[in-house]
Every structure is written in structure tokens, then in C-alpha cells.
Amino acid sequence: MNCSEEQQKFGCAVGAAVTLGEMVASMKHVRLLGLMTMAQLTDRPETARPVFVRLRELFEEMCGERIGGEHFRHLSME
């Protein structure tokens, strides 16, 4: 996920996360295991924190909607 909204980074836009998750989870031979994001490279934790909070919110929303089922349980944040 591009939770930092940096133009030089690729990844799914936050607004498209749930829709993309539903699409991936509906594929017969693909499992959606979790979400990943990378915050802006900085020495200031307060700059990175909102990026990680947003990913966790998306993760919780998707879990609540049972997107990905029992396999959807991983978060990767750097």
C-alpha cells in the first residue's frame, strides 16, 4: 500500500485498497495474506507513525469485512 502517498513509490492507493483486496481474495488460486507499506525515509518517528496507523486501519477494516478470510493476518511496515 502507498500509505505515504509518495509519487516515487508504487503500490495500491489507500482509496482502492478494499476493492483491490476483494478482487484478489476472489481469485481461485491466489491468497491474500496481508498488507505492506513503507513510510517515508526519515529519522523522525512522528513522520512515519501516521503511515503505519493508516495501514493498520485498512487492515482492521478488511478483517472486519472478512476479506481474505482466515489467511489474511499479516502486516509489514518499514
Side-chain angles (χ1 to χ4, degrees), residues 6 18 26 35 45 71 74 76:
E6 293 177 79
V18 173
S26 72
L35 301 176
H71 301 286
H74 300 281
S76 177

Side-chain angles (χ1 to χ4, degrees), residues 6-76:
E6 293 177 79
Q7 290 183 356
Q8 70 272 23
K9 289 186 179 170
F10 295 93
C12 179
V14 171
V18 173
T19 301
L20 181 61
E22 290 170 336
M23 290 172 55
V24 171
S26 72
M27 295 177 180
K28 187 175 181 177
H29 298 289
V30 178
R31 284 192 181 150
L32 182 62
L33 301 177
L35 301 176
M36 181 205 146
T37 196
M38 292 179 69
Q40 181 179 7
L41 184 59
T42 180
D43 291 331
R44 300 175 54 205
E46 62 272 9
T47 302
R49 195 169 291 121
V51 173
F52 300 146
V53 168
R54 185 63 185 119
L55 187 71
R56 181 64 185 207
E57 290 169 349
L58 284 171
F59 180 78
E60 294 296 332
E61 179 181 350
M62 293 171 74
C63 282
E65 295 183 24
R66 302 284 301 146
I67 296 170
E70 65 187 41
H71 301 286
F72 186 73
R73 58 178 176 245
H74 300 281
L75 278 176
S76 177

